[in-house]
Amino acid sequence: MSTRRPSLRGRLLAFLALPMLALLLLNAVITYRIALAYSNHLHDRNLLDDAQSFARMLQTMPRSDQLSPQARFLLEYDPDGHSYFNVESLHHGSVVSNTDFTAIPGARHCLASSPALYSTHLNHQKVRLATVCIANVGEPGDQLVVTVGETYADRRQRAQEILLITIPMMTLLMLCVGALVWLGVNHGLRILQPLTRRLAERNHGLAPISSPDVPREILPLIETIDGLFGRLAEMIALQDRFIADAAHQLRSPLAGISLHVDRALNAGDAATRNDALEHVRRLNQRTARVSGQLLALTRAQTSPTVVEPLALDVLVPEWVAARVPEAIRAGVDLGYQPPAGPARVQGYAPALQEALDNLIDNALRYAGRGATVTVGLSTAADARVELYVEDDGPGVPDAAMPRLGERFYRVAGATASGTGLGLAIAREAVEHIQGSLHYQAALPRGLKVSILLPRLPADPP
């Protein structure tokens, strides 16, 4: 069952199309509001003109309870019957009206000198009224309140007509903008094609793929891919080097084992056969040690960089105590020199223990029986912690000092068996946690190997 992969083009278009649709709806609402306000303004002006025209017509007409045909035509122009009028005398009450205006007192609007426009409810619907007050020519001291009104139906209809006119234009505009967005997104995504083509044409090699034509927006992604390529290239190189080292170091022991096996099979006496089997046993031990050292070196090079605060004044004594039985068997006096105060560093405990174990192993192996090996901790003046292994063995010639820590390098004339990987493993493990390894001749004789790590402030008491 195949899953549908998300589309960058689809997401961009959806991200742009949905806001555009929302803007279209918002524009329609705003357009309707503006059209309704404009329609209200025009109708209010016409309504006020009608009220004033009606008032002037009444002043020229003789006193009567009936309207002239001209006045009635002026007022009842609405074919839907949504127009209302009322003439009220302040002294005599309603003079003429086409509906019940008793609930709407018009006298209060005569207190103002100018005509009044206001909204109210009449016959259970909202209406807009214009009121004009004039003097009653037939009765001095009396005033006539002339009120003309209309419903809001026509106003809303005019606003809807304006909206219906603008909607097709707005829709056409949005479609044109959508087409331009579609073309723009497709054209913008074409910039990824050269990068895709370079990746497709690459059969081998893990060189960086970034180039000046990479857009700024996807540069972090390309840099992440380049970093991944770099780490992958390092892992492949490390694997190739491990295979080459294993082939180089295991070829001689395996050839020796094969030789002595043939010798044991062809031996005519038990002494020769036992001697050959003893050689096979030693070569097998050497092969196992070489394999273990190679794996330790690879582990030191690829161990995760997970650092945490470490209290070396607590951990190192435990690590040294675990090697005491081995030192006793080797006839070496293994001791520990504690620091003057807390020794806290930022590091990775397994990597640091791996480095210390290899330094102790080197000291026990090369210092010789009767030697003294001291593991110590001290805090340097430059805010660093020094973890050192010092012995009083034969030491290392000055000419060989620069080569210490090289893979498979052994000092000329060394009699103890070894693989030449111990210091290399220690160096890789220490550098993996941002530390450094240093060598110096011990006084009066021997070798001192130091691990320097940044010191952390001590915890408050």
Side-chain angles (χ1 to χ4, degrees):
M1 182 177 178
S2 61
T3 58
R4 186 177 181 180
R5 295 185 179 276
S7 170
L8 179 59
R9 179 184 289 103
R11 288 188 177 184
L12 289 174
L13 292 175
F15 182 79
L16 294 173
L18 292 179
M20 286 173 56
L21 181 60
L23 286 176
L24 177 61
L25 297 176
L26 179 62
N27 192 22
V29 173
I30 294 175
T31 301
Y32 178 76
R33 292 292 183 184
I34 294 175
L36 184 59
Y38 182 70
S39 177
N40 285 332
H41 175 72
L42 290 181
H43 279 74
D44 283 348
R45 189 171 63 184
N46 294 334
L47 187 63
L48 191 58
D49 290 342
D50 291 344
Q52 291 174 337
S53 299
F54 183 38
R56 288 192 297 268
M57 190 178 295
L58 288 176
Q59 286 181 321
T60 61
M61 292 171 54
R63 174 73 183 272
S64 173
D65 293 339
Q66 300 295 325
L67 292 178
S68 66
Q70 295 84 355
R72 188 170 294 277
F73 175 78
L74 174 67
L75 296 173
E76 296 181 345
Y77 63 91
D78 192 344
D80 296 330
H82 296 310
S83 296
Y84 304 98
F85 61 89
N86 179 57
V87 179
E88 179 182 355
S89 170
L90 295 182
H91 293 169
H92 304 286
S94 179
V95 177
V96 63
S97 176
N98 66 345
T99 189
D100 184 11
F101 271 78
T102 56
I104 305 173
R108 69 173 184 270
H109 297 288
C110 291
L111 299 178
S113 59
S114 60
L117 279 168
Y118 55 98
S119 298
T120 186
H121 285 81
L122 189 63
N123 295 338
H124 306 290
Q125 58 182 341
K126 188 176 181 180
V127 295
R128 185 73 168 168
L129 301 180
T131 298
V132 177
C133 297
I134 60 174
N136 188 351
V137 295
E139 184 178 344
D142 189 17
Q143 280 189 316
L144 295 179
V145 181
V146 180
T147 302
V148 177
E150 65 179 5
T151 65
Y152 278 82
D154 191 58
R155 299 165 181 246
R156 296 191 184 97
Q157 183 177 356
R158 298 290 87 78
Q160 292 171 3
E161 290 174 355
I162 296 175
L163 178 63
L164 292 177
I165 293 174
T166 58
I167 281 181
M169 294 189 298
M170 290 189 295
T171 304
L172 180 61
L173 178 62
M174 287 296 177
L175 290 177
C176 293
V177 173
L180 291 176
V181 168
W182 173 273
L183 295 176
V185 169
N186 287 335
H187 180 73
L189 292 178
R190 288 178 187 173
I191 201 170
L192 300 177
Q193 293 179 358
L195 183 62
T196 305
R197 187 165 52 251
R198 285 201 299 271
L199 286 172
E201 293 173 352
R202 178 176 297 181
N203 295 325
H204 301 286
L206 296 173
I209 60 174
S210 59
S211 62
D213 62 344
V214 174
R216 290 192 302 269
E217 290 76 11
I218 64 170
L219 186 58
L221 173 62
I222 301 303
E223 290 176 347
T224 303
I225 294 176
D226 287 344
L228 177 62
F229 280 175
R231 292 191 295 272
L232 185 58
E234 291 178 2
M235 295 298 296
I236 293 176
L238 183 63
Q239 181 183 11
D240 293 341
R241 189 164 59 179
F242 174 80
I243 294 173
D245 292 343
H248 176 268
Q249 291 298 311
L250 297 178
R251 182 171 59 249
S252 296
L254 292 176
I257 290 175
S258 177
L259 176 64
H260 288 290
V261 167
D262 291 340
R263 180 185 168 203
L265 292 175
N266 297 326
D269 57 285
T272 303
R273 183 168 55 253
N274 290 338
D275 181 68
L277 292 176
E278 180 62 25
H279 278 84
V280 169
R281 185 180 65 83
R282 287 199 297 268
L283 289 171
N284 182 65
Q285 291 176 345
R286 179 185 173 189
T287 303
R289 176 171 174 76
V290 169
S291 301
Q293 292 284 79
L294 287 173
L295 290 175
L297 178 62
T298 304
R299 185 168 58 249
Q301 293 171 331
T302 60
S303 60
T305 312
V306 181
V307 294
E308 58 183 350
L310 301 176
L312 294 186
D313 51 321
V314 177
L315 294 175
V316 172
E318 299 176 358
W319 296 343
V320 174
R323 302 302 299 272
V324 169
E326 184 180 348
I328 294 175
R329 289 193 299 269
V332 175
D333 181 11
L334 177 62
Y336 169 66
Q337 180 65 39
R344 298 178 71 251
V345 300
Q346 194 83 2
Y348 182 52
L352 196 57
Q353 184 177 7
E354 184 80 38
L356 181 61
D357 280 343
N358 278 277
L359 295 183
I360 294 176
D361 185 72
N362 263 23
L364 297 181
R365 187 176 298 274
Y366 293 103
R369 300 187 68 84
T372 300
V373 176
T374 303
V375 178
L377 278 171
S378 65
T379 53
D382 56 352
R384 291 193 295 179
V385 172
E386 179 187 21
L387 171 60
Y388 63 88
V389 177
E390 183 178 4
D391 66 73
D392 59 356
V396 176
D398 293 339
M401 279 286 190
R403 299 197 60 186
L404 291 182
E406 292 183 8
R407 297 147 60 89
F408 307 114
Y409 174 74
R410 300 187 66 213
V411 177
T415 57
S417 62
T419 62
L421 290 174
L423 292 180
I425 294 172
R427 179 176 57 82
E428 293 285 351
V430 170
E431 291 179 352
H432 207 65
I433 55 175
Q434 311 304 318
S436 58
L437 200 64
H438 299 272
Y439 314 98
Q440 67 182 61
L443 296 177
R445 60 194 297 268
L447 178 68
K448 180 180 180 181
V449 184
S450 301
I451 299 174
L452 295 179
L453 297 167
R455 183 177 60 184
L456 292 178
D459 292 331

